[in-house]
Amino acid sequence: MLLLAAGALAVSAGLTGGTHARTLTSAQRYAAFDWMAHWYPMAWTRDLPVDRPTRVTLFDDDYAVVLRSDGQPPLALRDACPHRLAALSEGRLTEQGFLQCAYHGWAFDDSGACKAIPQLPAGGSLASACTRAATAVVSQGILWLHPAPRGTAPLPEVPRVPEMDDDRYKWSPAVRDLPIDYSLLVENILDPDHGLFAHQLPAFDLYSASPDAPQRVTVRAVEDEAEDEAAAFAIESRVAAWAKLTRRQAESAGSTAVRTAYAAASADTPQLEASSTFRPPAV
């Protein structure tokens, strides 16, 4: 909680926008935060089928998303056919690239416009049969969705994780559902010494801290260039990425071989850092 309080103070002190932005309280900033104006990671693309719809859920709204093999951006439509509310994620992608409802065959393009109603008499209008579309993109192997209506412009840039573009870092795709408040999550993520014991993996010792390698935590405002004011704050921790607790245990046990191995590993990668970054909503 101290970190979050410090973050709120840092944002208040670091605002560069207008007078109105600087005078907003934390509660007012939180209430004014537009949850529908941001990108959200929905799934790793490796977990999604190609040219077949999949249901994803954001803020209790279901979307039918399709990764397309023709090089077009992913399709993302409200997962309910406007005809009888059948799930479009149960449908199929047609040869024309439309998402066809499995119930009565209504078909929609990536803008949500209805392109086919098999039962419609010749000359009938499709204009009123549209459905809501969102924008989806793929970046760094992740399917991102922006819940604003498709065509809303301009959209912010899709977030990127710099370490995923750095060959010095190793990373693995994973998904975890955590039904907890973000303040509890950030306290646990930034705890430097829990990983080795809670996860029982030696690699987590890279994130541990020690008197020789203290953890450095910074809190900074994240600027929204479109509005020229702090839209959120980021909490970042960094620590030298070498074994610390396991080395100490080896030294205490008098294991010369293990101690030498850890010393060699530390000497090989003195320039690397283990980092954790968390960006909660604006407060």
Side-chain angles (χ1 to χ4, degrees):
M1 293 303 178
L2 292 177
L3 286 175
L4 294 177
L9 292 174
V11 170
S12 298
L15 289 176
T16 59
T19 302
H20 175 68
R22 287 194 295 269
T23 58
L24 288 179
T25 66
S26 294
Q28 289 171 328
R29 287 181 57 78
Y30 189 86
F33 185 81
D34 187 356
W35 296 88
M36 306 300 285
H38 299 271
W39 291 98
Y40 294 90
M42 304 307 300
W44 293 99
T45 54
R46 73 169 194 173
D47 296 331
L48 298 174
V50 177
D51 291 335
R52 296 209 321 267
T54 301
R55 171 183 287 182
V56 298
T57 303
L58 178 64
F59 298 133
D60 293 328
D61 285 335
D62 294 329
Y63 297 85
V65 299
V66 183
L67 290 181
R68 297 188 278 189
S69 61
D70 60 3
Q72 295 296 314
L75 178 150
L77 302 178
R78 176 173 177 258
D79 194 20
C81 179
H83 178 209
R84 299 296 295 275
L85 301 182
L88 291 176
S89 59
E90 297 293 328
R92 62 192 64 86
L93 196 68
T94 68
E95 293 182 357
Q96 296 81 12
F98 304 145
L99 182 54
Q100 184 183 72
C101 178
Y103 198 7
H104 292 94
W106 290 28
F108 307 87
D109 67 10
D110 57 8
S111 73
C114 186
K115 292 299 184 179
I117 297 179
Q119 302 81 5
L120 187 69
S125 174
L126 302 173
S128 62
C130 61
T131 190
R132 179 161 54 90
T135 301
V137 300
V138 172
S139 178
Q140 295 184 310
I142 302 170
L143 176 74
W144 294 81
L145 188 144
H146 196 293
R150 186 177 175 86
T152 300
L155 296 180
E157 291 186 9
V158 178
R160 294 185 68 85
V161 179
E163 288 80 2
M164 292 175 67
D165 295 325
D166 190 333
D167 292 338
R168 297 179 302 169
Y169 289 86
K170 303 295 183 182
W171 55 274
S172 299
V175 175
R176 294 190 66 185
D177 292 323
L178 301 170
I180 58 176
D181 181 78
Y182 73 82
S183 60
L184 179 61
L185 176 64
V186 72
E187 282 188 313
N188 282 271
I189 287 178
L190 294 179
D191 182 311
D193 295 333
H194 81 280
L196 179 64
F197 304 98
H199 304 290
Q200 291 289 291
L201 292 173
F204 278 99
D205 198 10
L206 300 178
Y207 291 86
S208 298
S210 71
D212 295 333
Q215 183 191 50
R216 305 183 305 282
V217 178
T218 57
V219 182
R220 57 182 174 80
V222 176
E223 300 297 329
D224 183 342
E225 295 180 359
E227 298 296 336
D228 193 30
E229 65 181 51
F233 66 88
I235 304 173
E236 182 179 73
S237 71
R238 288 185 173 275
V239 67
W242 50 271
K244 308 169 193 76
L245 298 179
T246 46
R247 188 185 70 173
R248 180 180 296 178
Q249 293 171 352
E251 292 175 344
S252 298
S255 174
T256 303
V258 174
R259 184 169 62 250
T260 301
Y262 280 124
S266 301
D268 289 341
T269 57
Q271 77 284 5
L272 295 183
E273 289 188 323
S275 65
S276 297
T277 304
F278 187 81
R279 296 188 181 187
V283 294

